[in-house]
Amino acid sequence: MTTLAIIIVSWNTRKLLGRCLETVQASLSHTNITPTIIVVDNASTDGTPAMLRTEHPKVCLIESGRNLGFAGGNNLALRRVLSGQQTPDYVLLLNPDTEVLADALPQLVQYLEAHPDVAVVGPQLRYPDGSIQSSRRRFPQRMTFFMESTPLEQYWPNNPWVRHYRCDDTPHTDQQHVDWLVGAALLVRRSAILQAGILDDRFLMYSEELEWQQRMRRAQAGYIAYMPTAVIVHHEGKSSEQAIARRYINFQQSRLRHARMMYGQRFATMLRLFLQVAYGGELLVEASKWLLGHKRSLRAQRVEVYWQVIRALGST
């Protein structure tokens, strides 16, 4: 009998979480996999704990008492899972805004069972409309930090550093080894976690799964594999979109932390200054549109967001 711990960290995603749990249970029905489902609630205010107690009483609920972020919430559950008398064979980190299609979870488990040299396997992610959601990644080069998910990317979206980083030169339909996978759905071998350690919760949100898988590769815990026949729908960013400025701030602060870990303090300082200038340019563009009377409420909101990001980067 294969044992699987499923960890879901949730913050104000009650309806999506309920649907996620239904699809998880459906995917694992009629299999020889024994799951333990753990939901870490990061101080939701939308009635998530009450919903779980009423509609999913078999789910193990951990109420963190505050928003620990993705890494901190997962670590809370990972410590419990790994310190128990009967530790699971595999651990699945799953976002609450996902829907598991068909037999995606048993497919992923069977892949790890058949490939003992693989530490992590992830599915193909899709948007709700069925289109492919990019999830395969190579480790970032120096220029990646300047060109991916920064204001510059909107002016040069198909630049070579982003294409290389997102594995755009290899088909998304091919099963393949990659450097790392987006953390919306990651099935991880228990031995790989014991070898590399748990997530680094200095990353509140973003880049934590990158650093974790990078650490696993350095520890020679195994390869990272992408399995496109297992499909999971991801309603991307449903927690983070509730606080837009905080999403930008968390993302770029985490990127700066990871840049410092990879390339040193001097490089991180240069990147921070670049980001402040880039977001400053975006602020000026939005302020100019506001002065011209174009969608003033939207422009005012964006000016405020960019100003908050610039200030936060200055104190990073």
Side-chain angles (χ1 to χ4, degrees):
M1 187 72 72
T2 302
T3 54
L4 169 67
I6 301 171
I7 300 173
I8 304 172
V9 177
S10 182
W11 182 65
N12 291 329
T13 54
R14 177 174 56 85
K15 290 184 179 180
L16 287 168
L17 173 62
R19 177 60 182 157
C20 173
L21 292 171
E22 291 171 2
T23 62
V24 164
Q25 291 160 353
S27 184
L28 292 173
S29 64
H30 310 298
T31 70
N32 67 341
I33 300 168
T34 302
T36 300
I37 303 176
I38 302 169
V39 173
V40 179
D41 184 71
N42 271 340
S44 295
T45 58
D46 65 347
T48 292
M51 180 274 290
L52 290 171
R53 293 188 183 99
T54 302
E55 300 178 19
H56 300 277
K58 293 184 179 180
V59 168
C60 175
L61 171 63
I62 301 175
E63 295 186 72
S64 64
R66 61 189 179 91
N67 193 343
L68 300 175
F70 181 83
N74 274 294
N75 282 345
L76 201 62
L78 282 170
R79 291 187 183 99
R80 178 177 296 190
V81 164
L82 297 175
S83 63
Q85 290 184 342
Q86 293 184 327
T87 55
D89 299 308
Y90 309 109
V91 175
L92 174 69
L93 303 190
L94 187 65
N95 277 18
D97 57 351
T98 56
E99 295 181 35
V100 181
L101 299 189
D103 62 344
L105 296 188
Q107 277 196 60
L108 294 174
V109 169
Q110 289 162 14
Y111 184 90
L112 283 189
E113 290 183 333
H115 298 84
D117 60 338
V118 173
V120 180
V121 63
Q124 180 184 95
L125 297 180
R126 292 186 187 170
Y127 291 104
D129 65 2
S131 60
I132 300 297
Q133 188 176 123
S134 173
S135 63
R136 300 166 297 136
R137 298 287 186 270
R138 293 188 177 98
F139 293 137
Q141 303 169 318
R142 283 180 169 84
M143 278 300 295
T144 308
F145 288 97
F146 293 91
M147 299 303 300
E148 193 270 337
S149 296
T150 71
L152 273 187
E153 187 182 1
Q154 64 181 310
Y155 300 109
W156 191 5
N158 292 315
N159 67 78
W161 301 281
V162 168
R163 288 185 56 80
H164 179 267
Y165 177 66
R166 294 180 179 156
C167 302
D168 286 346
D169 55 338
T170 60
H172 62 75
T173 53
D174 290 357
Q175 185 175 294
Q176 59 200 264
H177 288 175
V178 296
D179 286 345
W180 66 283
L181 293 163
V182 170
L186 295 175
L187 184 66
V188 188
R189 194 179 300 277
R190 178 196 61 209
S191 59
I193 302 174
L194 295 175
Q195 198 167 340
I198 59 178
L199 291 153
D200 185 342
D201 52 22
R202 291 176 297 177
F203 293 90
L204 182 68
M205 286 184 68
Y206 305 110
S207 295
E208 64 283 288
E209 79 268 49
L210 160 55
E211 189 278 331
W212 197 36
Q213 291 169 79
Q214 200 168 34
R215 199 172 349 126
M216 287 183 189
R217 297 294 294 125
R218 285 199 302 268
Q220 299 183 337
Y223 294 106
I224 314 296
Y226 166 75
M227 189 177 185
T229 56
V231 179
I232 291 180
V233 173
H234 182 210
H235 300 261
E236 189 176 26
K238 292 303 178 181
S239 288
S240 59
E241 73 179 13
Q242 300 172 63
I244 297 174
R246 179 48 52 184
R247 178 179 65 185
Y248 280 110
I249 291 167
N250 288 337
F251 182 86
Q252 297 299 355
Q253 286 181 334
S254 291
R255 289 292 291 271
L256 285 168
R257 177 178 292 279
H258 188 244
R260 189 179 305 115
M261 294 171 74
M262 283 194 72
Y263 296 118
Q265 181 60 52
R266 180 177 297 180
F267 176 79
T269 299
M270 185 168 58
L271 177 60
R272 176 177 59 80
L273 293 172
F274 159 77
L275 289 171
Q276 287 182 289
V277 170
Y279 281 111
E282 293 300 295
L283 186 153
L284 291 175
V285 169
E286 296 298 329
S288 299
K289 291 179 180 179
W290 182 90
L291 288 172
L292 293 172
H294 183 264
K295 298 181 180 178
R296 281 194 157 186
S297 60
L298 174 64
R299 304 307 170 189
Q301 180 187 37
R302 289 181 176 176
V303 166
E304 176 60 24
V305 167
Y306 290 139
W307 177 240
Q308 289 184 46
V309 173
I310 293 166
R311 290 182 61 190
L313 290 173
S315 60
T316 299

